[in-house]
Amino acid sequence: MKTATILAAALACGLAVVGSASPQTEPRGGQPAPGSKPSVADLDYQVKYQRAFEAVLWSMPAIGSYGFIRGTQELGAGDNTILAWSTPARPNVELLTANNVTPYILASTDLRKGPVVVEIPAATDKASLYGQIVDHWQITIADIGPSGIDEGNGGKILLTPPGYQHPVPAGYIEVKSASYRVVFAFRSIKSATATTEDAYAYSKTLKMYYLNDPKPTRFVDPSEMRYSTLPYRAGFL
């Protein structure tokens, strides 16, 4: 009886609140209350403004990947050419997130021409690799190094294009990509007793080539060159 009385009282209070609600404070159907003023002078402009920012943020990973490819081509390099810095990054390395502590290793490829092999060297007492292989949207498809797919033991990574269904040769680690353009960014991490020169020498034990055309890997040291990857407006830089 006591519980029923409490419930009845609560229901009565709720109905009273609903009944006293004013359209001024409780607009219905998502419409603003009468007399409300817009928070911005031009809502249509604001929608376009916000969507423009969203478009920039959405496309930034792909634009970054394109920047890597464009910057590599401007150095006279191309697909499967490995850029291996002999020194830590300096101001002429125009990357958004580069540090100035470790030498970088970058490369890109085009899987429309077929699967690509990246031979990862095993970690040594001098150095080891850390980094990622990413698709064109910079989504990681493989981590490399002691904490990566090779577990620091090295191995032959086989990058395969979308829809690839052919058998993978024995001894290869297949990494599937959702895009044809693939980029990798590694860092050669020296041990406590090693030098930057040791880390650079270790980075040049990498190999990269098309599975059906295993040419010797070409290396370029861009340490004294401008490596421009940032998006820019014509005439701005």
Side-chain angles (χ1 to χ4, degrees):
M1 183 67 180
K2 185 176 181 180
T3 302
T5 302
I6 294 174
L7 289 174
L11 179 60
C13 290
L15 291 173
V17 170
V18 171
S20 62
S22 168
Q24 296 287 339
T25 59
E26 188 179 324
R28 298 180 182 279
Q31 299 297 315
S36 297
K37 295 182 179 180
S39 59
V40 293
D42 187 341
L43 180 60
D44 182 63
Y45 171 80
Q46 277 297 318
V47 170
K48 294 174 181 177
Y49 182 80
Q50 296 299 330
R51 287 179 178 173
F53 269 91
E54 291 171 3
V56 170
L57 294 176
W58 167 80
S59 64
M60 191 174 292
I63 294 298
S65 292
Y66 169 72
F68 294 151
I69 296 167
R70 174 176 51 79
T72 298
Q73 292 172 344
E74 290 177 354
L75 295 179
D79 295 336
N80 300 343
T81 298
I82 297 179
L83 307 183
W85 276 259
S86 59
T87 63
R90 291 180 286 197
N92 60 347
V93 182
E94 297 174 12
L95 295 168
L96 283 175
T97 58
N99 67 54
N100 61 353
V101 178
T102 54
Y104 278 88
I105 310 163
L106 300 175
S108 62
T109 194
D110 186 348
L111 299 180
R112 289 175 294 184
K113 302 174 184 177
V116 170
V117 179
V118 181
E119 292 191 24
I120 306 296
T124 70
D125 61 341
K126 296 289 187 181
S128 58
L129 290 178
Y130 286 87
Q132 293 81 35
I133 303 174
V134 301
D135 68 12
H136 196 81
W137 287 99
Q138 295 200 41
I139 296 174
T140 300
I141 58 177
D143 290 301
I144 297 300
S147 60
I149 194 171
D150 62 304
E151 298 182 340
N153 298 315
K156 294 182 178 180
I157 308 298
L158 184 65
L159 304 175
T160 57
Y164 187 77
Q165 296 180 346
H166 298 285
V168 176
Y172 290 80
I173 304 171
E174 183 182 15
V175 173
K176 298 180 180 181
S177 174
S179 66
Y180 288 101
R181 275 295 185 180
V182 175
V183 176
F184 75 61
F186 302 155
R187 288 184 291 168
S188 183
I189 307 297
K190 63 183 180 181
S191 66
T193 58
T195 64
T196 299
E197 290 73 18
D198 292 327
Y200 175 59
Y202 173 75
S203 70
K204 296 187 71 175
T205 61
L206 273 162
K207 295 181 181 180
M208 188 176 189
Y209 49 85
Y210 284 107
L211 179 65
N212 61 1
D213 188 16
K215 294 179 180 178
T217 303
R218 180 189 174 203
F219 287 86
V220 173
D221 178 6
S223 296
E224 302 300 326
M225 308 175 190
R226 180 186 180 188
Y227 183 55
S228 175
T229 71
L230 304 181
Y232 62 89
R233 178 170 53 84
F236 184 69
L237 291 177

